Amino acid sequence: MVLNDISDKQVLALDVFSLAIKALVTHLLDILEKRGTDVEMKDILWILTVPAIWSDAAKRFMRKSAGKAGIPECNLKISLEPEAASIHCQYLPTKKLLGAEQQGFTMTEPGTKYMVVDLGGGTADLTVHKKLSNGGLEELKHATGNDCGGTSVDGHFFQILTQIVGGPLIKIFQEEDPEGYLDLFREFEVVKRTIHPSKTGKVNLSIPFVSLTEKCKIHLGEALPDVLALSPFKDKISFRGDKMRIDIELMKNIFKPTIDSIISLMQSVLDSDGLIDVLQILLVGGFSECLLIQDAIKMKFPNKRVIIPEEAALSVLKGAVLFGHRPFYIESRKMKYTYGIELQNQFDPSKHDSKYLVLIDGKEYCEKIFDKLVTINESVPVGSTINRLYKATGTTTKTDEFSFFISTNKDPKYTDEDSCSHLGKLTIPLSDPCEGGRPITAMFYFGGTEIALTATEVNSGIQYEANFNLI
């Protein structure tokens, strides 16, 4: 897996993520040392937050990146971002929650259902929680979302720049003046959060005008204002000094596809069975501070109470610390998929399709059987275990392999069905061959933010505790 840097050079994704995590780790350890706390790496429980819509493989990738950054495997927990934000808001006083000061606010009362809308830079992450009588939270709807976070608005702004000066010149700008290019999008980031829905006229945006117009003269033969005059935006954009002045309606149109996508996602969740009585919406994440987003959601859902915590961008960060102290605050989660193990069992013509018939050591077996562990949309308490007894097929194999599969179907029969995807595997060494196969007990852990397995080879008593290799 590779990423392209600002000059389009390819870099290993694992290196980029691990170095970013390492910078944060080093920063904290330096502060602790300067303050004379004597706190070391091994003394710290590290919490790494990820979007809830990320796959199990993506979570495993983050764990691997953290390991490469020096965080011990046993000292790391993965926290899901909308969950962390939801936990944080349980501890906030009402005066810290914009929209909650009205009479009837009940988000922290037992039985209350509310939707968490986590709008970050890259993703929009939606889930629904119910407050329990013991103070914990139950997940009523597994995470739903897509890539309609704040950077998708940046993407629409980039398209406008491309239509003005052309893709080749934008690429030259990136390569020759990466600092100016980054400054342009940082400025856009600041402006896009502060646009008021009632604003009229123009939006002013600082741009690296000298650098851009110089490149336009060299590569297009004209200055930037002259290039703009030939574009479809000549009546909606103008320049004054180093400012780009954008018509407010055009700026709102830059946001529209992203806002429409977020609202469509929210509507689809609220239309789900059993969620008709969700009356409160909790907006968190950096992009939720955008006033245009807040206004559009309030307009679309006038009968829902929209609640926004102070410093919504920090809700995930602060909630992750609370999650570290109380990892079982979320007491149950909805399964995003049907999970199962691929098996080979003795062939039964009354049950099995003949195309899956194989011979192993002279015996007939059915391959690619989907042995279901949990079902899609099933509510699974945190810390749930599922115990199974398996036998290694044949008497001469030196290893046995657990191949993990997921499916969007409730009851898949074979692992090669269209609804199924291979998730990962765990290889277990086996002791000396023996007649009748070699039994293996397996204990699967579900309901947490990650899936894990403890496997024990009965004959030798050897135990293997591991997360699946999902990368």
Side-chain angles (χ1 to χ4, degrees):
M1 291 183 285
V2 295
L3 299 171
N4 287 14
D5 73 2
I6 198 166
S7 63
D8 224 23
K9 183 177 70 177
Q10 289 194 335
V11 190
L12 278 176
L14 187 65
D15 290 343
V16 175
F17 277 76
S18 63
L19 286 169
I21 294 169
K22 188 175 179 62
L24 295 170
V25 169
T26 302
H27 178 65
L28 174 64
L29 293 176
D30 286 348
I31 289 174
L32 292 173
E33 185 179 358
K34 287 175 184 176
R35 293 182 181 176
T37 61
D38 292 328
V39 175
E40 299 177 21
M41 174 77 84
K42 62 180 177 60
D43 303 321
I44 301 171
L45 175 63
W46 301 85
I47 310 297
L48 194 58
T49 66
V50 301
I53 59 171
W54 274 15
S55 67
D56 294 290
K59 294 174 194 173
R60 188 62 191 160
F61 172 85
M62 291 302 287
R63 181 171 280 277
K64 190 172 181 180
S65 299
K68 190 171 182 182
I71 297 176
E73 175 95 6
C74 58
N75 284 28
L76 176 70
K77 287 188 181 295
I78 299 290
S79 173
L80 307 183
E81 288 169 359
E83 290 184 359
S86 182
I87 293 169
H88 174 238
C89 292
Q90 293 292 320
Y91 288 88
L92 285 177
T94 302
K95 64 182 180 180
K96 296 280 189 180
L97 295 165
L98 180 64
E101 56 281 335
Q102 306 165 42
Q103 189 176 4
F105 172 67
T106 59
M107 198 181 81
T108 57
E109 289 186 10
T112 302
K113 300 176 183 178
Y114 59 93
M115 175 193 285
V116 184
V117 181
D118 177 19
L119 304 177
T123 59
D125 228 353
L126 281 65
T127 189
V128 179
H129 287 158
K130 178 182 177 181
K131 183 73 173 181
L132 301 176
S133 57
N134 63 1
L137 296 172
E138 175 187 359
E139 186 180 68
L140 299 180
K141 173 74 175 175
H142 64 69
T144 305
N146 59 22
D147 58 355
C148 54
T151 52
S152 65
V153 179
D154 297 352
H156 296 302
F157 176 61
F158 179 86
Q159 289 172 15
I160 287 177
L161 292 178
T162 302
Q163 289 179 61
I164 294 172
V165 301
L169 191 124
I170 292 290
K171 189 171 178 62
I172 291 167
F173 181 41
Q174 279 182 299
E175 292 174 349
E176 295 183 1
D177 187 7
E179 188 175 348
Y181 180 82
L182 284 174
D183 285 343
L184 173 59
F185 278 90
R186 286 186 184 124
E187 173 70 10
F188 182 71
E189 175 70 26
V190 172
V191 169
K192 77 182 184 186
R193 290 197 191 192
T194 57
I195 300 172
H196 199 278
S198 61
K199 181 175 174 56
T200 58
K202 303 278 187 180
V203 175
N204 290 319
L205 183 73
S206 294
I207 66 167
F209 182 84
V210 174
S211 177
L212 268 173
T213 199
E214 178 187 325
K215 286 168 179 53
C216 285
K217 287 177 180 178
I218 294 171
H219 300 283
L220 302 178
E222 294 180 290
L224 181 57
D226 299 321
V227 173
L228 173 65
L230 299 173
S231 78
F233 302 102
K234 61 182 180 180
D235 298 325
K236 297 178 181 178
I237 297 176
S238 60
F239 296 106
R240 182 176 292 174
D242 65 344
K243 302 286 187 185
M244 175 186 277
R245 308 190 74 227
I246 305 173
D247 186 86
I248 187 62
E249 291 308 313
L250 174 59
M251 182 61 87
K252 288 180 179 179
N253 284 336
I254 293 174
F255 281 81
K256 191 175 186 307
T258 299
I259 292 174
D260 289 348
S261 183
I262 291 169
I263 286 176
S264 176
L265 268 174
M266 294 174 65
Q267 188 67 64
S268 67
V269 170
L270 291 169
D271 289 342
S272 303
D273 293 340
L275 301 182
I276 192 73
D277 56 344
V278 173
L279 299 177
Q280 299 180 87
I281 298 170
L282 178 64
L283 286 184
V284 295
F287 194 37
S288 71
E289 294 180 351
C290 172
L291 298 175
L292 291 178
I293 295 279
Q294 294 177 14
D295 185 66
I297 291 174
K298 289 173 182 176
M299 292 277 288
K300 177 63 180 178
F301 304 104
N303 298 323
K304 311 289 184 187
R305 179 164 298 142
V306 178
I307 300 161
I308 307 145
E310 282 186 7
E311 297 183 313
L314 297 177
S315 294
V316 171
L317 175 68
K318 294 178 179 179
V321 177
L322 294 167
F323 171 82
H325 286 283
R326 190 177 168 184
F328 297 108
Y329 202 107
I330 307 291
E331 297 197 4
S332 67
R333 294 182 174 89
K334 289 275 188 178
M335 292 293 101
K336 290 166 62 174
Y337 304 102
T338 297
Y339 288 83
I341 294 292
E342 184 177 84
L343 290 185
Q344 290 177 329
N345 284 340
Q346 286 191 354
F347 187 80
D348 183 342
S350 65
K351 295 180 181 178
H352 302 139
D353 190 321
S354 59
K355 74 176 183 177
Y356 296 102
L357 174 64
V358 293
L359 288 175
I360 300 176
D361 291 344
K363 295 180 181 180
E364 292 185 343
Y365 287 90
C366 179
E367 64 175 358
K368 297 185 178 179
I369 294 174
F370 192 110
D371 181 40
K372 185 168 71 171
L373 297 168
V374 292
T375 306
I376 188 171
N377 288 322
E378 179 182 348
S379 186
V380 177
V382 171
S384 293
T385 59
I386 296 172
N387 298 291
R388 294 288 170 87
L389 177 64
Y390 300 106
K391 286 189 177 180
T393 305
T395 59
T396 58
T397 54
K398 294 182 179 180
T399 61
D400 195 23
E401 188 173 276
F402 284 91
S403 281
F404 215 4
F405 281 80
I406 56 174
S407 174
T408 53
N409 187 357
K410 283 188 173 182
D411 292 297
K413 194 170 182 181
Y414 301 103
T415 58
D416 62 353
E417 294 175 12
D418 290 342
S419 69
C420 298
S421 302
H422 184 241
L423 186 61
K425 64 183 180 180
L426 177 65
T427 302
I428 298 173
L430 296 172
S431 56
D432 295 335
C434 65
E435 291 299 325
R438 285 155 289 179
I440 296 170
T441 59
M443 184 181 291
F444 300 90
Y445 299 88
F446 284 95
T449 56
E450 298 176 276
I451 297 163
L453 163 69
T454 298
T456 305
E457 211 230 326
V458 175
N459 290 349
S460 65
I462 299 173
Q463 190 176 84
Y464 301 88
E465 293 187 24
N467 291 299
F468 281 86
N469 178 17
L470 305 178
I471 301 174

